Structures are given as structure tokens and as C-alpha cells.
């Protein structure tokens, strides 16, 4: 029985020795390179070096070692093509039946604080070339890029003497899946364009999810191989597994508190909509103010806090059923308290928000835009009466919240709390009525324990887009709203300005819309 040949060159050597020993015992000759050759030799195996196959030394600091006809001819030759087989015999090219290659760790190093030249050295050329050659000839060649596939191939060889065609085809597909993501990450680094000719995605699966938005939908969770981000490397400190909807809500919730980098902020999200946002002077105060915004909707929601959670705050959090509590850190005492609720997901966020773009899938295409991460620097008062300094602070607070609410969006605030949030309405007056009524409601519904006091002090209102008519201003006057901020830009802006002057309500225009569709 003639020997088969396996070419092995890996950076991830986990599980390799046991698999290589199995291959030798199964009559495979092992060909290897550099560090992999040394690793196999030290384990008592009998690999041969690649230069013995090519009759050409490794050169250019290892950049050229497998880029040779005796390697790629052995991989690409079609076994049942007489001309191919005649050619390889004439040139004394030995066939290669298996390739085990995983690539230089570019993904792991592209985000490190190292120079571009250093990052370039982690770009693998020979590895992807061998993988692609082997994958193209999957009818005859088994190609392995993932250590998790060692056991499957070992079982098939043990049972039948070779891998199955179905398995080889699937492994070939994994090759092109990997190399396309690898190339996409490299392209992103070198091209450095927001909107390149071809839109490349490079994401790695973290896990399959139980289901998507609904139980009949399948789903999986992927993270970028090129970018860091708050939703990439968070730490799960307690609770059950995360769902599709959990992850979407977490992303929005953390982005809201990230708006308040110099303040202690807390946000509650329910169904991808903020239902409470507040800033405060202590962890407990900040959470309580967030809870007060909407004690009903917060039930079963997600909480994000851009501060360290202490025991007193944890005790208060545990009084309400919550799906997730996210924070930049937790006291040990706080963790002990929160973990009493076994299903509560406790998430520590380690990376800052880093998204620069939003991608929206549509049927047959993708829309790409840069993120809405700006606020106007040219805010001006357009009414006869000027807002007070306290009202200005309240308006700017509400403006930071309103851009995370689905359009049409209105936020009513007293400066440190989003007391009423109205969003997702098809006209602006409905969103305004919704937000104002929520801000002033005192009824806790069927739960007397949720009874709320009517909020006193100046209530101000922020809108994500212009007022098409004066009806919003008239309604605000009727309900006692003391100041308004909105982008302006309507052909009827003057009607709203005149209404504000009539009602003696200061109004500021930003000139910048914040739609969130």
C-alpha cells in the first residue's frame, strides 16, 4: 500500500500531535515547515522538511517556502486526468493528499498597538495559497483549517481509509469562508476607505443562538475580526445564555450611557427602545431615577450603567425582574447579591463603543452609513424669550437621549431624567402626546406599588426632527412644557417660532436631525 502525504503548517498547534501520530500510523508521510516541523520532530514523529520536497531552500525570512510547483502541482493535479498525471510524473511531483494549515494570526494582531509594518508581517501568503489549491481539488485532497475537524477526519479514515467526498467538499467550503474573511480584514486595514468598491465582511461566529427574534427563526452571534467594540469582548459574570433580542438591546442600551462620558448615567431598554435614562451623583440615585422614568415598562428590561455597581444598587436592582444588568464594573458584594437571581445575566463591558458605521440589510443589498455620532455646534435660540441655564442643560440632556428613540421621537426631561419617551409614531404630534402624558402620569396601572408622584419643576422637550406644524408647540404650552429644542428645517419653522413666542416658551434650533428609523 503506497503512502499518502499530508502537508502540515500551523500556527495553532493544539491537538496536532495526537492527530499527526494517527496519520503516521495510518500510512501517511508527513511534510512540514519551520516551527511545525520542529514541533512534530520533538514529539517523536518523523516529518520531512518542505525543502526536501521542493529541492529549494526556505528564503526571504520564511516568506517563500511552499510557493513552489512541487507543492501546488501535488495539490492541484486532477487524479483522473491523464495529462495531469503524466505532467507530475515527468517533473517528479509527488501528490499531496491532505493539507493541514491554519493561518498566521492576523486577526489576533490587527488591533494591537503595533506599527503597520509589524501588522503586515502577520499577513499569510503561502498558507492561503496552499489552502485554496487544496480546496479547489477537494475531489482528491482533504484540507483542514480548523482543529475541531481533526476528530471527524480521524473517524472517517479509521472507518473507510479516507475522508468522504461530502466531508472534503464541506472542508473546502470552510477554506474559502476563512480566506475571504482573512482577506477582508487585510483589505480593511490597507484600503482604509469608508465605502470601498466591494463591501467585505469579516466576522467570526461566537455561538449559535437558541432562536432569533421569534422562536421559529434561527440565529447566530458573530463578532468582528477587525474591530473591537463593547459587544465583542464583554464578560458574562452570571445568568443564563444571551438571546438574539438580548444582544440587540444590550447594544442600544450601552450606546445610550456611553453618550454621558463625564457623568454617572443609567439607561433602561425594552424592545430596543429606551424606557428610562438618568444621570446622577451616586450609583443608587442614578438607578432609582432611571427606574422612576417608567416603572412599568422597565419590568423584564435591560439596565446599563457606566459606573461600578455597589451593593446598595444591587439590592435595589433585585427588587425588579430584569433580564440583564450591564455595567463597567461590579463590587464583589454587588455580584453576590445579583447572583441570587440565577437567570439574571450580569455583563461587564470591557471595550468602549467603537462602531463607525451602521449596516442595514435590505432584500438583495445592504445600506451603509456612518454612525450618527455628532451633535450640532451651532445651536441657537430663535424665540424672543431665552431659556435659562438650567433649561439649556435639560434640553441638551434630552437631545442626547432622543437620537436613540425610534422616529418620530420626542423626549421630555427635567434635566437629569428622561421622564417621558415617545417614539415610533407615524406623526410627531402623537409622539409628543405620548411623551408628555408619560412624563406627567401618576397612575401605576394595576400595580399600586408603582404609583408615581407627579414631577414638579421645569419640564423641557426635545424632538429628533423638525415640527411640520405649530400643533406640537401649542400642545406643549397647554401641558406646561417650559422649553423646546428641535432641529428646525421645516418650510413652516416660522409658524412654530411664532407659536413659541405667543406662549412665551423658549425654543432652540440645532440644525441637525437625528432620525432613527
Amino acid at each position: 500500500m503506497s503512502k499518502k502525504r499530508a502537508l502540515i503548517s500551523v500556527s495553532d498547534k493544539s491537538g496536532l500531535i495526537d492527530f499527526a501520530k494517527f496519520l503516521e500510523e495510518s500510512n501517511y508521510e508527513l511534510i512540514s515547515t519551520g516551527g511545525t516541523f520542529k514541533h512534530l520532530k520533538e514529539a517523536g514523529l518523523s516529518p520531512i522538511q518542505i525543502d526536501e520536497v521542493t529541492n529549494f531552500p526556505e528564503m526571504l525570512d520564511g516568506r517563500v517556502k511552499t510557493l513552489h510547483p512541487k507543492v501546488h502541482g501535488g495539490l492541484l493535479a486532477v487524479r483522473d486526468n491523464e495529462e495531469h498525471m503524466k505532467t507530475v510524473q515527468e517533473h517528479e511531483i509527488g501528490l499531496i493528499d491532505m493539507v493541514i494549515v491554519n493561518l498566521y494570526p492576523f486577526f489576533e494582531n490587527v488591533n494591537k498597538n503595533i506599527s503597520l509594518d509589524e501588522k503586515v508581517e502577520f499577513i499569510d501568503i503561502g498558507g492561503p495559497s496552499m489552502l485554496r489549491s487544496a480546496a479547489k481539488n477537494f475531489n482528491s485532497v482533504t484540507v483542514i483549517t480548523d482543529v475541531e475537524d481533526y476528530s471527524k477526519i480521524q473517524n472517517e479514515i479509521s472507518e473507510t481509509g479516507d475522508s468522504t467526498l461530502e466531508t472534503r467538499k464541506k472542508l473546502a467550503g470552510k477554506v474559502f469562508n476563512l480566506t475571504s474573511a482573512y482577506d477582508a480584514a487585510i483589505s480593511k486595514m490597507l484600503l482604509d476607505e469608508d465605502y470601498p468598491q466591494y463591501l467585505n465582511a469579516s466576522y467570526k461566529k461566537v455561538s449559535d443562538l437558541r432562536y432569533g427574534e421569534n422562536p421559529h427563526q434561527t440565529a447566530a452571534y458573530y463578532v468582528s475580526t477587525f474591530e473591537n467594540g463593547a459587544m465583542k469582548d464583554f464578560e458574562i459574570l452570571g445568568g443564563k445564555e444571551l438571546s438574539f433580542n438580548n444582544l440587540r438591546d444590550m447594544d442600544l442600551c450601552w450606546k445610550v450611557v456611553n453618550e454621558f462620558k463625564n457623568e454617572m448615567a443609567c439607561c433602561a431598554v425594552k424592545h430596543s427602545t429606551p424606557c428610562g435614562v438618568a444621570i446622577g451623583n451616586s450609583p443608587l440615585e442614578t438607578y432609582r431615577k432611571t427606574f422612576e422614568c417608567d416603572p412599568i415598562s422597565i419590568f423584564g428590561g435591560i439596565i446599563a450603567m457606566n459606573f461600578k455597581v455597589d451593593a446598595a444598587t444591587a439590592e435595589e436592582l433585585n427588587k425588579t425582574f430584569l433580564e440583564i444588568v450591564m455595567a463597567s464594573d461590579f463590587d464583589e458584594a454587588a455580584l453576590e447579591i445579583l447572583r441570587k437571581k440565577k437567570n439574571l445575566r450580569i455583563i461587564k463591558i470591557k471595550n468602549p463603543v467603537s462602531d463607525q458605521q451602521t449596516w442595514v440589510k435590505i432584500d438583495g443589498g445592504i445600506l451603509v452609513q456612518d454612525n450618527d455620532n455628532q451633535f450640532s455646534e451651532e445651536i441657537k435660540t430663535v424665540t424672543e424669550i431665552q431659556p435659562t441655564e438650567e433649561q439649556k442643560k435639560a434640553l441638551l440632556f434630552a437631545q442626547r437621549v432622543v437620537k436613540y428613540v425610534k422616529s418620530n421621537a420626542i423626549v421630555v426631561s427635567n434635566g437629569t431624567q428622561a421622564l417621558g419617551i415617545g417614539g415610533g409614531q407615524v406623526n410627531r404630534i402623537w409622539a409628543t402626546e405620548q411623551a408628555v402624558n408619560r412624563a406627567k402620569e401618576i397612575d401605576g396601572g394595576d400595580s399600586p406599588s408603582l404609583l408615581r408622584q407627579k414631577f414638579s419643576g421645569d419640564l423641557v422637550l426635545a424632538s429628533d426632527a423638525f415640527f411640520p406644524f405649530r400643533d406640537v408647540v401649542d400642545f406643549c404650552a397647554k401641558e406646561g412644557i417650559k422649553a423646546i429644542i428641535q432641529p428646525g428645517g421645516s418650510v413652516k419653522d416660522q409658524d412654530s417660532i411664532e407659536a413659541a413666542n405667543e406662549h412665551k416658551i423658549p425654543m432652540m434650533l440645532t440644525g441637525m436631525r437625528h432620525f432613527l428609523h
Side-chain angles (χ1 to χ4, degrees):
M1 179 179 177
S2 62
K3 278 183 176 288
K4 291 189 173 183
R5 298 201 305 170
L7 197 162
I8 308 174
S9 180
V10 297
S11 56
D12 179 0
K13 297 176 175 59
S14 55
L16 178 63
I17 296 304
D18 287 343
F19 186 52
K21 285 181 178 178
F22 166 78
L23 292 176
E24 274 201 344
E25 292 167 359
S26 302
N27 206 35
Y28 275 79
E29 180 179 67
L30 307 183
I31 306 167
S32 193
T33 65
T36 305
F37 172 83
K38 182 179 178 183
H39 183 67
L40 295 172
K41 198 77 173 174
E42 289 174 349
L45 292 159
S46 304
I48 61 173
Q49 286 187 309
I50 192 68
D51 55 8
E52 294 182 42
V53 174
T54 61
N55 294 317
F56 203 90
E58 292 187 20
M59 58 186 296
L60 304 181
D61 297 320
R63 287 188 174 205
V64 177
K65 50 192 173 188
T66 59
L67 298 170
H68 194 281
K70 287 202 171 181
V71 172
H72 289 272
L75 292 172
L76 285 165
V78 177
R79 282 23 176 195
D80 58 4
N81 183 307
E82 291 184 8
E83 286 299 317
H84 282 203
M85 298 312 293
K86 180 181 177 182
T87 298
V88 296
Q89 288 172 8
E90 285 178 0
H91 295 283
E92 299 180 340
I93 296 174
L95 300 178
I96 299 174
D97 306 282
M98 183 180 294
V99 169
I100 306 168
V101 169
N102 46 61
L103 307 178
Y104 290 172
F106 179 80
F107 293 147
E108 293 82 355
N109 288 280
V110 67
N111 286 312
K112 288 185 177 178
N113 187 24
I114 57 178
S115 70
L116 177 61
D117 286 345
E118 289 174 298
K119 292 178 182 180
V120 166
E121 289 307 310
F122 286 105
I123 297 175
D124 200 331
I125 300 300
S129 299
M130 286 190 291
L131 290 175
R132 291 170 65 86
S133 291
K136 179 173 181 175
N137 202 18
F138 66 85
N139 276 313
S140 302
V141 182
T142 305
V143 57
I144 304 174
T145 62
D146 186 349
V147 297
E148 298 298 321
D149 290 319
Y150 290 167
S151 58
K152 180 178 181 62
I153 299 304
Q154 185 168 331
N155 290 338
E156 290 188 2
I157 292 175
S158 296
E159 291 173 6
T160 66
D162 199 357
S163 58
T164 66
L165 177 58
E166 181 182 1
T167 295
R168 293 195 297 275
K169 178 174 174 287
K170 184 173 182 179
L171 293 178
K174 290 183 72 169
V175 164
F176 291 107
N177 184 249
L178 169 63
T179 57
S180 63
Y182 196 79
D183 288 345
I186 296 167
S187 168
K188 177 80 172 173
M189 178 186 75
L190 298 176
L191 197 56
D192 195 26
E193 289 183 5
D194 291 334
Y195 306 105
Q197 182 70 28
Y198 296 96
L199 185 64
N200 304 123
S202 184
Y203 290 83
K204 184 176 182 180
K205 187 163 76 172
V206 174
S207 64
D208 290 310
L209 300 173
R210 288 173 60 201
Y211 51 81
E213 284 184 284
N214 300 290
H216 63 275
Q217 295 172 265
T218 60
Y221 171 43
Y222 291 79
V223 296
S224 173
T225 63
F226 185 80
E227 299 170 318
N228 290 321
M231 295 300 105
K232 181 177 180 180
D233 292 320
F234 58 80
E235 187 176 356
I236 302 175
L237 301 176
K240 60 183 183 180
E241 66 185 32
L242 294 165
S243 72
F244 181 95
N245 292 333
N246 289 158
L247 287 158
R248 287 192 66 187
D249 287 351
M250 284 167 56
D251 181 56
L252 175 70
C253 204
W254 191 255
K255 284 175 178 171
V256 174
V257 297
N258 192 69
E259 286 289 340
F260 302 92
K261 293 181 173 62
N262 300 316
E263 294 140 314
M264 196 170 279
C266 178
C267 175
V269 162
K270 187 75 169 289
H271 296 300
S272 289
T273 301
C275 60
V277 183
I279 56 176
N281 297 311
S282 72
L284 182 57
E285 176 205 359
T286 307
Y287 168 67
R288 278 179 171 166
K289 287 164 70 175
T290 304
F291 177 86
E292 288 169 357
C293 295
D294 191 344
I296 297 174
S297 299
I298 200 173
F299 183 85
I302 286 175
I303 295 291
M305 294 161 282
N306 66 354
F307 49 81
K308 191 174 191 178
V309 178
D310 57 20
T313 308
E315 290 282 6
E316 195 71 16
L317 287 160
N318 271 4
K319 292 178 182 178
T320 302
F321 168 63
L322 299 168
E323 291 278 358
I324 297 171
V325 172
M326 309 162 59
S328 53
D329 205 356
F330 297 84
D331 286 344
E332 283 302 317
L335 284 175
E336 185 176 343
I337 293 164
L338 293 171
R339 284 171 176 158
K340 290 178 182 178
K341 292 198 169 184
K342 293 183 179 180
N343 289 332
L344 175 66
R345 291 96 159 177
I346 307 164
I347 308 292
K348 179 179 177 179
I349 302 296
K350 299 189 289 187
N351 291 340
V353 171
S354 66
D355 273 351
Q356 297 299 314
Q357 290 184 331
T358 301
W359 293 14
V360 178
K361 181 73 176 72
I362 59 175
D363 194 18
I366 289 181
L367 302 173
V368 181
Q369 65 174 351
D370 66 337
N371 280 354
D372 181 9
N373 56 13
Q374 299 181 47
F375 286 102
S376 175
E377 296 180 358
E378 299 179 2
I379 300 174
K380 59 184 179 181
T381 302
V382 293
T383 49
E384 295 164 359
I385 186 171
Q386 297 285 318
T388 67
E389 287 304 312
E390 287 302 310
Q391 287 172 343
K392 283 182 181 178
K393 289 179 182 177
L395 289 168
L396 294 176
F397 168 84
Q399 184 195 31
R400 288 193 173 273
V401 177
V402 79
K403 80 171 188 175
Y404 291 98
V405 181
K406 295 287 186 181
S407 298
N408 288 306
I410 298 289
V411 169
V412 175
S413 167
N414 65 353
T416 58
Q417 292 171 286
L419 304 177
I421 298 173
Q425 299 299 320
V426 292
N427 64 65
R428 194 151 299 278
I429 188 63
W430 286 358
T432 304
E433 291 171 352
Q434 182 185 61
V436 172
N437 290 338
R438 285 183 176 179
K440 299 179 72 176
E441 71 186 3
I442 60 170
D443 184 14
D446 296 328
S447 304
S449 63
L450 297 181
L451 196 66
R452 301 166 63 184
Q453 293 183 355
K454 190 172 182 177
F455 291 97
S456 58
D458 286 357
L459 294 180
V460 305
L461 180 145
S463 174
D464 66 339
F466 63 65
F467 299 156
F469 308 104
R470 63 173 284 164
D471 54 358
V472 170
V473 180
D474 291 333
F475 182 80
C476 287
K478 174 186 168 186
E479 296 297 326
I481 299 298
K482 300 300 184 184
I484 295 171
I485 190 168
Q486 55 124 331
S490 168
V491 295
K492 295 187 177 182
D493 274 350
Q494 192 58 39
D495 289 355
S496 294
I497 294 170
E498 289 175 3
N501 282 328
E502 287 175 24
H503 299 302
K504 294 182 169 45
I505 298 175
M507 184 161 67
M508 305 181 79
L509 298 188
T510 68
M512 183 176 289
R513 190 181 73 184
H514 293 288
F515 268 163
L516 178 63
H517 273 357

